[in-house]
């Protein structure tokens, strides 16, 4: 077991969810102290216990990323508790409704943009200000393959993840003078788990020309579109995040790495 991140402090948002927790655990295994942010207090509690089991400092921060004041206070608390922030995995997100664009619910569109774009922006900006002072920072944003090619019935989600790819490119340029690298990952179909089950079920329910109305058939259709003919496992993400946060990617900034089975 390596401890390449000993002495480093990582902030992970959406840390109580599938991808956030898997990545928080990996960073802990590599020796980083981890500040876990999520708005789901119950799930956060068990997530922190999982991460602390790797023998590093781990603390929960209940925070809704859409609440600017809460983000500011939370990041200040993380800095007070841990002394500094080296890494940000900016990952909290919400998949939204499934409906053709002409029927897409407006309130849900706003909610998706609020969490996935505005929330991610505020976390990135707040943490970046701290990193600028230290002239060091490594940031990974969670985009999605839906932010590279828009899938049917996911207007808000795709728009929000295209925005994350853009935000990543801009932030990489604006923050490069301060020794802060900003990259993104774009998972595609990851399973098993809530997001996979939910999208299979809801794509079937929409009943579009693109997918069957039978969820089992939808799952086959989705997997059939993947060159590697399987969905990705959540455990196939943390190594990529660790690579982008660590110094093996020292000359990479502003890139969006697909984790998509081809
Ligand atoms: P998840 O639902 O398991 O985790 C998301 C976490 O974010 C949850 O713990 C939730 O409580 C938290 N969250 C949501 N809104 C929040 C808010 N306003 N403030 C704070 N926390 C909030 O989903 P996941 O699969 O782990 O997704 C993580 C990221 O990966 C998301 O950005 C998602 O869009 C992206 N993604 C997931 C997949 C996939 O198939 N699972 C594919 C591509 C991209």
């Amino acid at each position: 077991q390596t401890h390449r991140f000993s002495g480093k402090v990582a902030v992970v948002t959406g840390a109580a969810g599938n991808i956030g927790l898997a990545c928080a655990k990996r960073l802990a295994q590599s020796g980083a102290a981890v500040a876990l942010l999520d708005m789901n207090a119950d799930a956060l509690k068990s997530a922190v216990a999982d991460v602390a089991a790797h023998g590093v400092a781990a603390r929960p921060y209940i925070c809704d990323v859409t609440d600017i004041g809460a983000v500011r206070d939370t990041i200040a608390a993380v800095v007070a508790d841990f002394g500094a922030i080296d890494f940000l995995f900016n990952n909290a997100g919400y998949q939204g409704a499934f409906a053709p664009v002409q029927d897409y619910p407006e309130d849900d569109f706003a909610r998706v943009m609020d969490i996935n774009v505005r929330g991610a922006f505020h976390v990135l900006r707040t943490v970046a200000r701290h990193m600028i002072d230290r002239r060091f920072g490594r940031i990974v944003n969670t985009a999605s393959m839906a932010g590279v090619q828009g899938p049917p019935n996911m207007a808000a989600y795709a728009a929000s993840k295209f925005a994350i790819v853009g935000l990543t490119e801009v932030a990489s340029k604006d923050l490069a003078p301060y020794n802060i690298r900003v990259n993104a990952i774009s998972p595609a179909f990851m399973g098993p788990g809530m997001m996979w089950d939910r999208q299979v079920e809801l794509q079937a329910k929409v009943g579009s020309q693109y997918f069957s109305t039978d969820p089992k058939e939808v799952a086959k259709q989705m997997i059939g579109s993947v060159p590697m003919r399987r969905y990705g496992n959540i455990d196939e993400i943390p190594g990529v995040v660790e690579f982008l946060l660590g110094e093996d990617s020292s000359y990479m900034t502003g890139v969006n790495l697909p984790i998509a089975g081809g």
Side-chain angles (χ1 to χ4, degrees), residues 20-251:
L21 177 56
C23 293
K25 285 201 274 194
R26 169 64 71 94
L27 296 174
Q29 276 168 13
S30 295
V34 188
L36 292 91
L37 272 64
D38 206 289
M39 66 175 189
N40 182 339
D42 290 341
L44 193 55
K45 217 176 187 179
S46 76
V48 167
D50 270 11
V51 173
H54 295 284
V56 298
R59 281 173 181 261
Y61 298 86
I62 300 164
C63 176
D64 180 337
V65 297
T66 66
D67 180 340
I68 302 172
V71 168
R72 201 177 41 229
D73 293 349
T74 300
I75 297 307
V78 172
V79 173
D81 293 341
F82 289 91
I85 298 168
D86 301 287
F87 303 145
L88 168 63
F89 182 40
N90 198 12
N91 165 75
Y94 163 57
Q95 203 176 35
F98 285 74
V101 67
Q102 66 275 20
D103 298 331
Y104 200 94
E106 272 186 40
D107 55 342
D108 188 81
F109 191 94
R111 186 163 171 238
V112 171
M113 297 307 266
D114 207 29
I115 297 171
N116 294 5
V117 184
R118 220 179 115 259
F121 163 70
H122 281 298
V123 172
L124 186 148
R125 183 173 77 152
T126 308
V127 173
R129 286 177 175 180
H130 164 76
M131 289 174 166
I132 285 169
D133 291 340
R134 298 180 66 230
R135 297 293 194 273
F136 182 91
R138 307 289 180 248
I139 298 172
V140 173
N141 296 319
T142 302
S144 168
M145 283 310 283
V148 175
Q149 193 170 46
N153 304 312
M154 298 182 79
Y157 188 74
S160 77
K161 294 303 189 176
F162 269 78
I164 290 298
V165 175
L167 177 65
T168 301
E169 290 184 5
V170 172
S172 75
K173 290 177 177 138
D174 292 348
L175 299 173
Y178 306 101
N179 186 28
I180 300 169
R181 295 192 288 109
V182 188
N183 292 294
I185 57 164
S186 277
F189 301 130
M190 307 305 298
M194 207 269 278
M195 279 212 183
W196 169 258
D197 293 342
R198 192 173 176 273
Q199 74 186 307
V200 164
E201 189 192 315
L202 295 182
Q203 284 289 21
K205 213 172 255 176
V206 175
S208 68
Q209 67 176 353
Y210 300 101
F211 294 108
S212 163
T213 51
D214 172 8
K216 276 203 196 99
E217 206 43 51
V218 172
K220 278 192 203 147
Q221 289 173 318
M222 283 181 177
I223 285 168
S225 73
V226 178
M228 288 177 69
R229 289 293 188 272
R230 63 175 179 85
Y231 55 60
N233 192 282
I234 296 293
D235 291 330
E236 293 177 298
I237 294 178
V240 182
V241 172
E242 184 172 28
F243 165 70
L244 289 173
L245 292 175
E247 293 314 295
D248 285 341
S249 61
S250 53
Y251 199 49

